[in-house]
Amino acid sequence: MRRGADVDAALRALARLMAAFHARAGRGPRIAAEGGREALRARWLANTAELRLHEGTVLPAPTAGAIDRLVTRFLDGRGPLFAERIDDERIVDGHGDLIAADVFCLDDGPRVLDCLEFDDRLRFVDALDDVAFLAMDLERLGRPDLGERFLDSYVEFSGDPAPASLRHHYIAYRAGVRAKVGCIRHAQGDPAAGADAAHYAAIAVRHLRAGAPRLVLVGGLPGTGKSTLSGALADRFGAVVLSSDRIRKELAGIDPTRPAGAAFGQGIYAPERTEELYAELLHRAEQLLGRGESVVLDASWTAAPRRATAAELARRTSSELLQLECRADAGTTARRIAARHGDPSDATVPVATLMATVADPWPDAVPIDTAGPVGDALERTTALWRDAPGRPAGAVLR
Ligand SMILES: Nc1ncnc2c1ncn2[C@@H]1O[C@H](COP(=O)(O)OP(=O)(O)O)[C@@H](O)[C@H]1O
Ligand SMILES: [Mg+2]
């Protein structure tokens, strides 16, 4: 790695080797107990307690608190995800210490040495956590792209359906472990270990922030670009889009692109149907958030009480809430509505006009002007997405 050797093929072979190793690794209740949410929380807390002792010397001051906060939110809201990992027997007697220095690339394939032996329980890990260790180490060595590709290959060979957020979480966890070790070594008189510890801690914070599940409300009147923006945002961050227009028709048992236009508030647009629709949107969002997926809800969100219910869902699932209101002038939206073909939306210009008169003001939303190029609106929302977990103190992110 340091010499810049091409290790792509070796990493792919290694991903395959690890998937095969995990497939036949020991499993069972005693092993699974170490990979549960509360066991993970306890190990995190032990690590950050150590990090806290080195703030102001080795680490910038808010590091441990920032990590604790992000970890707590992730774990609190992800009960179903961690329960599923155990039910799916993803917790294995693994390697426990898969760092680059322990992998030997030979002509006939890679060999991995030096599994963790001083404490069995630390080797009982989620298989994804096991391989995330190497992904983290590759990132530390300056090649996060290789780390990502390695995990992609591993997922391909293992069929692991984990959400992106869990990958981020385990990479962060492994960086946290190494940050702690770096702090201890520094305290024992190894000056170089201090800079390493700070580097590892920054990796941990970065991944915890990236992996925080988001609940994004993309609202606005017809033709303001909600679906376009929702799709682009979801593509960029691997989130799931739930579209009100599609689900409304799904609930009514009709094809999403089949027109079902009706007078304002009539037919499938009757108020009871709309209530049902929002309840279903939030129900599906809750399932997804609990499993660590970020969710983009593409709906008009014109009624304040429904937004309040969504905000409550974000609180209940410890997810980052982002409220975006798409806006464009009436001429632009009318032109867009007129130009639609095969869109799941049935809204016409008169419907849009009526909606505007009944829409509640949305002071908590960030207005997104979509009259300009899509790329501009996407850049703006990308920045908002990245900042959703709150702005960290600059020093932690170095
Ligand atoms: N900045 C922009 N943001 C979003 N959509 C835009 C933008 N500029 C042009 N458009 C176009 O406007 C239309 C918006 O429609 P759509 O996303 O279906 O709106 P809505 O879902 O709010 O009804 C699309 O054809 C899209 O390509
Ligand atoms: Mg739409």
Side-chain angles (χ1 to χ4, degrees):
M1 290 282 307
R2 288 219 170 91
R3 285 198 316 266
D6 180 0
V7 293
D8 244 338
L11 284 174
R12 191 157 168 84
L14 179 63
R16 186 190 188 114
L17 179 80
M18 289 303 294
F21 165 62
H22 286 153
R24 55 170 197 271
R27 286 171 165 73
R30 195 172 68 93
I31 291 170
E34 301 300 325
R37 178 173 64 162
E38 296 318 311
L40 180 57
R41 194 193 299 274
R43 291 197 306 274
W44 261 119
L45 285 175
N47 288 346
T48 50
E50 181 67 37
L51 296 184
R52 198 165 277 115
L53 303 177
H54 306 271
E55 283 184 352
T57 50
V58 174
L59 303 173
T63 303
I67 292 177
D68 277 342
R69 185 184 149 274
L70 289 160
V71 166
T72 301
R73 282 176 67 69
F74 186 79
L75 297 181
D76 283 353
R78 262 31 73 192
L81 170 64
F82 285 99
E84 219 170 78
R85 301 300 292 174
I86 290 180
D87 289 348
D88 293 351
E89 302 198 307
R90 299 274 168 201
I91 319 302
V92 298
D93 181 352
H95 182 280
D97 195 19
L98 189 68
I99 55 174
D102 289 341
V103 178
F104 295 81
C105 301
L106 307 185
D107 291 341
D108 61 346
R111 301 287 191 284
V112 181
L113 303 187
D114 214 15
C115 78
L116 194 144
E117 278 174 309
F118 70 89
D119 181 350
D120 282 350
R121 287 174 316 161
L122 295 180
R123 217 178 45 240
F124 299 163
V125 294
D126 188 318
L128 190 65
D129 180 6
D130 214 15
V131 284
F133 210 150
L134 183 62
M136 186 282 296
D137 209 27
L138 295 171
E139 180 166 343
R140 172 190 68 101
L141 292 163
R143 295 297 303 273
D145 56 321
L146 289 181
E148 249 175 69
R149 269 215 295 288
F150 170 65
L151 288 183
D152 286 344
S153 299
Y154 175 80
V155 164
E156 197 183 314
F157 291 123
S158 66
D160 189 333
S165 65
L166 191 64
R167 263 162 87 147
H168 282 301
H169 191 82
Y170 285 140
I171 291 173
Y173 174 68
R174 291 301 160 186
V177 169
R178 300 300 289 182
K180 176 190 72 175
V181 171
C183 284
I184 293 172
R185 288 209 178 123
H186 180 265
Q188 288 169 345
D190 174 0
D196 288 346
H199 184 191
Y200 284 122
I203 292 175
V205 171
R206 197 156 64 231
H207 281 278
L208 287 171
R209 287 171 55 79
R214 272 84 163 162
L215 176 62
V216 187
L217 313 187
V218 178
L221 296 171
T224 54
K226 299 182 295 294
S227 302
T228 306
L229 192 62
S230 296
L233 202 56
D235 279 351
R236 181 162 283 186
F237 291 105
V240 178
V241 185
L242 299 178
S243 143
S244 61
D245 287 323
R246 287 177 174 279
I247 293 177
R248 188 189 292 273
K249 291 189 174 173
E250 185 191 317
L251 292 177
I254 52 185
D255 190 276
T257 54
R258 209 187 90 197
F264 187 61
Q266 303 292 308
I268 65 168
Y269 295 90
E272 322 78 83
R273 296 293 193 84
T274 301
E275 277 318 309
E276 235 174 75
L277 161 68
Y278 275 88
E280 178 67 17
L281 274 178
L282 293 179
H283 171 72
R284 291 190 194 182
E286 180 156 18
Q287 309 287 308
L288 289 160
L289 291 165
R291 282 163 35 211
E293 302 285 355
S294 283
V295 181
V296 179
L297 295 176
D298 165 15
S300 57
W301 295 107
T302 44
R306 292 190 195 118
R307 293 172 331 218
T309 313
E312 168 51 31
L313 171 62
R315 264 192 300 281
R316 200 164 60 242
T317 58
S318 301
S319 307
E320 309 302 328
L321 178 67
L322 253 183
Q323 306 185 68
L324 310 176
E325 185 182 12
C326 293
R327 288 188 191 170
D329 57 277
T332 302
T333 56
R335 262 194 312 282
R336 288 173 179 172
I337 292 170
R340 284 211 240 253
H341 290 289
D343 192 279
S345 167
D346 293 316
T348 56
V349 173
V351 164
T353 309
L354 281 167
M355 280 175 74
T357 63
V358 301
D360 296 323
W362 195 359
D364 294 336
V366 180
I368 305 294
D369 176 20
T370 70
V374 179
D376 291 358
L378 183 58
E379 283 322 305
R380 177 103 212 276
T381 49
T382 292
L384 293 165
W385 174 291
R386 295 222 161 99
D387 285 347
R391 281 199 163 279
V396 185
L397 270 184
R398 290 193 298 151

